[in-house]
Amino acid sequence: MTSTVVVLDAAHPAGVLADPAVPLVRIDDQGLTRGDGVFETMRAVDGSVQKFEAHHQRLSASARLAQLPVPSARDVRGAVELALAHAAPGGDGGLGAEHAVKVVISRGTPEDGPWSWIAVSPVPETTFRQRREGVTAVLLPRGHAPAQDAGYPWLLPGAKTLSYAINMAALRHARSLGADEAVFTTDGRRVLEGATSSVVCARVRAGRRTLLTPEPSHGILPGTTQAKIFDAARRDGWELGYGPLYPADLMAADAVWLVSSVRLAVPVRRLDHQPLPVDPDLTRLVTNWVSQA
Ligand code: PLP
């Protein structure tokens, strides 16, 4: 993968381009050894990053919970623009030149302390294929309801931390079952979120158009893509609903998507090996809402 990297540290608070041939991360960096850090992944189109304020706000909330310093919005935006200006050509899935922009704040080494970096890479063809063809998913329980963690700040509820080993293990497990994606549920079978995405579904009945998503405050990551889709849907006259959602609700929906900043809205065409309806017109509508600046 061709990444362009900008580092923000004490010596370069506004960011400096890093030489990709020079090692960047120390072996005792706690972001690496403990997953102790927070991050955001954003989408850029034709060199312009989307939903920047929402991402910086969530990065700040995650950093606050983890007691990490967060670079100012101005510094992060400047560093992102610097990285994008030097990036390899973006991926082309028919919606412009697209890059994934990852912002990381790591605890750093015990000696040097926290630091940040921005890595920009072209959106890969697999993402564009998933947008076109959809994915298959399985429901995987994650034990207790994460809402139970809400009162314990040391469990970092709702923070987007670097500790994604569980999410990646869930994806590997899904793939061992022949599916592309994992959707977490509680023990009580309430639908939570995808391993790296939010769940949104549509119900179109008797002239009523409704979008539904699991309640964002119930211990899942509050998705910036889901929020943008809901804002646009509200303006277009759709009704909006926030969980609780159960597998039967997804099975009975007229369309189900996994949504996130870079993938946009990917239709789920099978859930637990049962076919789900895919509606290309609805997917186009939701993609239009979310792909615009
Ligand atoms: N939920 C999880 C666990 C995620 O990792 C992500 C994105 O990476 C999302 C939801 C969607 O977030 P966003 O739409 O802000 O990209």
Side-chain angles (χ1 to χ4, degrees), residues 43 45 50-51 94-96 131 225 228-233 235-236 238 257 259 263-266 279-293:
R43 170 177 182 255
V45 194
Q50 293 195 302
K51 312 192 243 88
L95 296 174
R131 287 183 199 160
T225 312
K228 185 171 175 181
I229 290 170
F230 272 42
D231 280 350
R235 281 197 298 274
D236 259 22
W238 284 63
W257 301 275
V259 309
R263 101 186 61 203
L264 302 178
V266 164
D279 185 324
D281 290 338
L282 279 180
T283 298
R284 238 186 320 275
L285 177 68
V286 173
T287 302
N288 260 342
W289 283 337
V290 83
S291 62
Q292 277 156 33

Side-chain angles (χ1 to χ4, degrees), residues 39-41 51 55 58 160 164 167 193-198 221-226 259-263:
F39 78 104
E40 281 294 316
T41 303
K51 312 192 243 88
H55 283 291
R58 193 173 61 188
K160 193 165 164 71
Y164 259 51
N167 308 52
E193 61 186 338
T196 61
S197 57
S198 311
L221 194 75
T224 61
T225 312
Q226 173 269 317
V259 309
S260 64
S261 296
V262 174
R263 101 186 61 203

Side-chain angles (χ1 to χ4, degrees), residues 28-292:
D28 55 348
D29 190 293
Q30 295 161 99
L32 182 66
T33 58
R34 299 189 195 273
D36 192 354
V38 297
F39 78 104
E40 281 294 316
T41 303
M42 311 184 264
R43 170 177 182 255
V45 194
D46 297 329
S48 175
V49 74
Q50 293 195 302
K51 312 192 243 88
F52 179 80
E53 288 75 19
H55 283 291
H56 190 268
Q57 258 175 35
R58 193 173 61 188
L59 182 69
S60 305
S62 300
R64 214 173 11 256
L65 267 169
Q67 298 177 18
L68 282 164
V70 61
S72 70
R74 187 192 152 111
D75 284 346
V76 176
R77 193 188 269 282
V80 167
E81 284 169 1
L82 178 62
L84 279 167
H86 290 82
D92 184 358
L95 296 174
E98 297 187 50
H99 289 95
V101 178
K102 189 163 182 170
V103 183
V104 180
I105 306 174
S106 165
R107 184 81 50 198
T109 63
E111 296 79 38
D112 295 340
W115 66 300
S116 306
W117 70 87
I118 317 273
V120 169
S121 50
V123 173
E125 177 53 34
T126 47
T127 303
F128 302 136
R129 186 163 41 77
Q130 290 195 345
R131 287 183 199 160
R132 287 191 307 267
E133 298 177 5
V135 290
T136 60
V138 285
L139 298 163
L140 297 182
R142 58 160 302 152
H144 74 291
Q148 292 170 13
D149 299 349
Y152 309 124
W154 55 91
L155 298 181
L156 307 179
K160 193 165 164 71
T161 75
L162 291 179
S163 312
Y164 259 51
I166 288 174
N167 308 52
M168 297 300 108
L171 281 179
R172 282 193 302 277
H173 191 77
R175 279 158 201 168
S176 78
L177 298 174
D180 303 309
E181 288 287 337
V183 172
F184 288 124
T185 62
T186 64
D187 273 344
R189 302 276 287 163
R190 247 194 30 234
V191 176
L192 293 168
E193 61 186 338
T196 61
S197 57
S198 311
V199 176
V200 171
C201 66
R203 206 187 281 148
V204 183
R205 301 283 147 81
R208 287 179 67 177
R209 304 172 304 165
T210 312
L211 278 188
L212 299 153
T213 196
E215 174 58 70
S217 66
H218 278 188
I220 58 177
L221 194 75
T224 61
T225 312
Q226 173 269 317
K228 185 171 175 181
I229 290 170
F230 272 42
D231 280 350
R234 185 184 296 110
R235 281 197 298 274
D236 259 22
W238 284 63
E239 291 175 39
L240 305 176
Y242 296 90
L245 283 180
Y246 292 89
D249 298 311
L250 300 189
M251 300 296 182
D254 294 295
V256 178
W257 301 275
L258 297 182
V259 309
S260 64
S261 296
V262 174
R263 101 186 61 203
L264 302 178
V266 164
V268 182
R269 50 186 164 76
R270 290 181 86 81
L271 185 64
D272 277 353
H273 307 291
Q274 294 188 48
L276 292 181
V278 170
D279 185 324
D281 290 338
L282 279 180
T283 298
R284 238 186 320 275
L285 177 68
V286 173
T287 302
N288 260 342
W289 283 337
V290 83
S291 62
Q292 277 156 33

